[in-house]
Amino acid sequence: MASNSPGYAITVRVELSPESSSTAGLAQAVINSGASLTALDVVESSHERMVVDVTCDTSDPDHAELVTAEIARVPGANVRKISDRTFLLHLGGKLEVKPKVPLRTRDDLSRAYTPGVARICMAIANEPKDARRLTIKRNTVAVVTDGSAVLGLGNIGPAAALPVMEGKAALFKQFAGVDAWPVCLDTQDVDEIVRTVQILAPQYGGINLEDISAPRCFEVEERLRDLLDIPVFHDDQHGTAIVVLAALTNALKLVKKKPEDLKIVMSGAGAAGTAIAQLLFEVGMKDITAFDSHGVVTKERKGDGHTSTWMIEHSNPRGITGTLADGLVGADVFIGVSAPNIVSEEAIASMAKDAIVFALANPDPEIHPALAAKYARVVATGRSDFPNQINNVLAFPGIFRGLLDAGNSKITNETLIAAANAIADCVDSKQLNESYIVPSVFHPDVAKNVAHAVEQVSRNNG
Ligand SMILES: NC(=O)c1ccc[n+]([C@@H]2O[C@H](COP(=O)([O-])OP(=O)(O)OC[C@H]3O[C@@H](n4cnc5c(N)ncnc54)[C@H](O)[C@@H]3O)[C@@H](O)[C@H]2O)c1
């Protein structure tokens, strides 16, 4: 059930005769091949011929080829060029550095650079805390990855991870005015990652860890938090947990169930799964059972090397055994952060009345949302083409804005819960319904409200 997406948009440049039937034929060809036509732009026109750019969204690269072939079959049409609009967007990267001060005169140079800058350096040498006041540090975040768990693509390495880190940095700026910069490390050794980030840290006001695989990500974050005096936040863990808690908080208002009464079943006990379980547990949801690629997590897992100690000690209080489908019978909530298409319709049908299903595996969820919605009352995914998108961009820009403004490195469960409540509260009681449990990522107040809530908690923690 793949749907067309701007992520697979193409522009096909076509030369053809000027009869109106030829241009109509182009539109028909796009529609016939199942793509979504977004524009027909005339690039050149004369009595003899026209050149037209046909732009459309397709569902994947194979579909794009099929659409192009269909266009080429239009009588009199000659395909000149095909452009992948996503590749075009990424040409030369997505970020640049711009000076914030004028550099037009000798006077400007003398103050921004030598000799004037030397006095600023000495002020910081004498009072290191002033680095926050007199340099970029206060507003700058490193987006650090080792490329070991990039999106759903796996271990593709630091260079291939860069487009994602650039995108993340762009979102930081767009949504919260934070100057973030990718730091893609050519090592996957925990000691080397920790030491490298430690020696890079003086110029940054915060460290956002990204796409580092579990369980190494837990150790990297813990050690850096101990070592550094700036906030260290692994977004794949805590960003996800915050947005899931926000969504679940609002979903519970609809189904009128209490946190302490819920039976929660999870698929996935990795970076996202562990952090989600920890945060939900913290707000009183104690009956959480997790399944992963090795089956159900039980106390017998102790020392297996791939399950976090927290999960082993705190999950599965009823000692559930069997398969994920067995675990889902009578469950109130399913949260999937694992793999595509591993949950059947029947399993969702076996859940309790007014079930809540968050199927978050990307890009394809554990169960297609349309199938889950046949039985569940509230359904959410990580996708933008279905309602209730659980998107970390609701959390991380505001979190860092608040932490940077508070100038406090400490991130506690209270910080995470405050952020989740701020997101949940962006949907008011008149707006709340089964298809709107989280605000849109473009909601104008989200980052601001999250930042405010986080800053307040951070100042109290300080
Ligand atoms: N906002 C969002 O929508 C959001 C946020 C974070 C993660 N995710 C998605 O969640 C998934 C997991 O992310 P992560 O960072 O925790 O990865 P991870 O590699 O740390 O953990 C994956 C977990 O899924 C389990 N798993 C893998 N295949 C399985 C299968 N067939 N059946 C049951 N369990 C299986 C693994 O054992 C592991 O516990 C990814 O698809 C990711 O894109 C979505």
Side-chain angles (χ1 to χ4, degrees), residues 149-153 211-215 217-218 234-237 239-241 243-244 266-274 276 291-295 297 301 306 324 336-340 342 359-364 366 381-383 389-393:
V150 182
L151 305 177
L153 305 169
D211 291 353
I212 298 175
S213 65
C217 60
F218 304 124
H234 185 202
D235 187 45
D236 305 293
Q237 292 184 57
T240 313
V243 185
V244 165
M266 299 185 53
S267 176
T274 303
I276 292 169
F291 292 76
D292 65 8
S293 39
H294 304 272
V297 176
R301 284 270 187 106
H306 53 77
L324 174 60
V337 270
S338 53
I342 56 162
L360 306 181
N362 275 323
D364 296 314
E366 283 76 2
T381 66
R383 290 170 55 147
Q389 187 193 14
I390 305 295
N391 189 332
N392 293 25
V393 83

Side-chain angles (χ1 to χ4, degrees), residues 240-399:
T240 313
I242 288 167
V243 185
V244 165
L245 175 58
L248 194 50
T249 302
N250 280 345
L252 291 184
K253 292 176 194 162
L254 290 169
V255 300
K256 301 199 168 34
K257 293 184 186 179
K258 293 197 195 112
E260 59 272 25
D261 296 338
L262 297 178
K263 292 190 177 71
I264 299 176
V265 169
M266 299 185 53
S267 176
T274 303
I276 292 169
Q278 286 173 332
L279 194 58
L280 299 187
F281 195 88
E282 197 59 33
V283 296
M285 305 181 195
K286 309 284 187 197
D287 191 340
I288 301 173
T289 303
F291 292 76
D292 65 8
S293 39
H294 304 272
V296 64
V297 176
T298 62
K299 305 273 180 289
E300 281 68 57
R301 284 270 187 106
K302 213 163 190 142
D304 70 356
H306 53 77
T307 319
S308 78
T309 311
W310 189 93
M311 269 303 203
I312 294 168
E313 287 174 359
H314 295 85
S315 70
N316 202 353
R318 285 178 288 129
I320 288 177
T321 53
T323 65
L324 174 60
D326 298 330
L328 279 170
V329 177
D332 299 287
V333 179
F334 168 71
I335 300 170
V337 270
S338 53
N341 304 313
I342 56 162
V343 177
S344 66
E345 267 186 76
E346 295 72 32
I348 300 296
S350 77
M351 291 177 70
K353 186 170 179 290
D354 290 335
I356 296 168
V357 171
F358 293 175
L360 306 181
N362 275 323
D364 296 314
E366 283 76 2
I367 178 166
H368 193 282
L371 297 180
K374 284 164 72 175
Y375 312 97
R377 171 97 179 263
V378 184
V379 178
T381 66
R383 290 170 55 147
S384 58
D385 52 350
F386 285 93
N388 298 329
Q389 187 193 14
I390 305 295
N391 189 332
N392 293 25
V393 83
L394 289 167
F396 70 82
I399 300 262

